[in-house]
Amino acid sequence: MTMTVEAAPGQKLYRAVVDALRREIETGRFAEAQLLPAERVLCELLDVSRTTLRKAIADLVDEGVLLHRHGAGTFIHRARPRVDQPSSRLTSFTDDMRLRGLEASSRELERGVFLPTPEEAMMLGAGPNERVFRLGRLRLADGTPMAIEHAAVPLRFLPESERVGASLYEALSSRGFRPTRGLQRLRATLVSDTEAELLGVAQNSPALYIQRIAYLADGSCVEFTKSWYRADAYDFVSELTLSPPVRKAQR
Ligand code: 16G
């Protein structure tokens, strides 16, 4: 099957090929393939010479639509989900992704019941002998790694911790311990080599390091989580309002 690529008046043929390829990529012709078909196949499909095709591919690489990996071939640079996260709502990763029509999934890195580290004990306000359930996960949206999270929850809130499934907040909710208030601290950081590999980003890529402490309505601390979010996939958005004018105390 071939496609007719015609240059508009004054347009170079290879630019028409750039447009045609971009259209094909956007409309999903190569949807299942990460790798661009071989030059020979594309030349036949578009009915153009190798020189024209190569020039078009070089332009698409410059534009970031295609990615050239030495020795491996030319890949389609799939747009990864980029997520706007209002920083004022206490939501779970699963809910956040569902709301955006993305499918949340996780790869577990750590799960178990431990004595708290001094940091966990301090953040959770737990005694040194109060055991915590620890859950480390790589969180993915539609299969794309988004964040690494290490959560610690005092065991008394999750006595059957082995039954915690895909959502930590759902497990807490079903036991009547859904956090209602949280405190979050964000800071810019660079990923370590291990984190880079898990997140599928280049070494030393920027990330958002987030610490969340979440509380129950009665003020007890239910969660301490440390996360590394990919800086290229997440925007934390804050809503700002003018605070009402402070009234002078009446005499
Ligand atoms: C979010 C929270 C994290 C919480 C998780 C629960 C941030 C920065 N972090 O990712 O603290 O543990 O949701 O998600 O928002 P889950 O219910 O899907 O397991």
Side-chain angles (χ1 to χ4, degrees):
M1 188 186 132
T2 58
M3 291 162 46
T4 330
V5 180
E6 271 174 43
Q11 187 188 35
K12 294 229 163 79
L13 178 62
Y14 86 93
R15 283 304 307 175
V17 174
V18 166
D19 293 342
L21 276 177
R22 193 190 295 111
R23 216 169 31 242
E24 291 304 301
I25 290 169
E26 279 167 6
T27 53
R29 177 191 283 255
F30 310 121
E32 297 308 318
Q34 279 292 114
L35 192 64
L36 200 68
E39 273 186 2
R40 183 185 44 80
V41 177
L42 286 176
C43 287
E44 251 170 50
L45 178 75
L46 301 162
D47 198 19
V48 292
S49 71
R50 274 194 186 212
T51 325
T52 306
L53 179 75
R54 283 186 187 163
K55 273 176 106 169
I57 288 179
D59 271 22
L60 288 167
V61 169
D62 283 348
E63 285 177 30
V65 176
L66 296 177
L67 203 76
H68 201 68
R69 292 213 188 110
H70 197 68
T74 308
F75 291 80
I76 298 162
H77 198 182
R78 296 249 169 259
R80 65 182 66 87
R82 187 165 184 103
V83 168
D84 270 1
Q85 173 72 17
S87 57
S88 55
R89 248 178 275 143
L90 187 66
T91 48
S92 76
F93 184 84
T94 308
D95 289 341
D96 287 340
M97 296 308 126
R98 196 180 295 137
L99 282 172
R100 291 170 175 84
L102 301 170
E103 199 190 330
S105 61
S106 303
R107 197 179 117 199
E108 279 192 21
L109 307 171
E110 183 189 24
R111 172 191 277 257
V113 174
F114 304 90
L115 282 176
T117 61
E119 186 189 34
E120 285 167 350
M122 195 174 79
M123 293 302 201
L124 291 166
N129 295 319
E130 181 177 0
R131 289 181 304 157
V132 298
F133 169 61
R134 209 179 288 149
L135 184 60
R137 292 173 293 175
L138 175 69
R139 316 287 324 244
L140 305 103
D142 275 358
T144 302
M146 300 292 276
I148 299 167
E149 286 182 347
H150 286 275
V153 173
L155 196 59
R156 70 192 140 107
F157 298 121
L158 286 173
E160 292 159 343
S161 59
E162 64 287 348
R163 305 235 317 248
V164 173
S167 167
L168 180 62
Y169 276 19
E170 204 178 293
L172 287 166
S173 296
S174 67
R175 289 159 182 82
F177 296 128
R178 174 74 158 93
T180 57
R181 192 172 66 83
L183 204 63
Q184 208 158 269
R185 176 192 287 266
L186 275 84
R187 110 160 85 89
T189 187
L190 299 179
V191 291
S192 68
D193 290 357
T194 317
E195 288 156 6
E197 208 179 311
L198 285 170
L199 291 170
V201 294
Q203 291 182 349
N204 283 323
S205 292
L208 291 162
Y209 172 68
I210 305 173
Q211 281 190 353
R212 178 183 283 193
I213 306 178
Y215 302 90
L216 298 178
D218 70 3
S220 41
C221 188
V222 71
E223 171 199 14
F224 169 54
T225 297
K226 297 199 274 191
S227 329
W228 288 261
Y229 277 75
R230 278 172 71 146
D232 62 347
Y234 248 83
D235 282 355
F236 277 81
V237 181
S238 306
E239 190 181 299
L240 308 175
T241 50
L242 184 67
S243 47
V246 183
R247 294 239 170 85
K248 279 197 186 135
Q250 295 205 335
R251 291 197 190 171

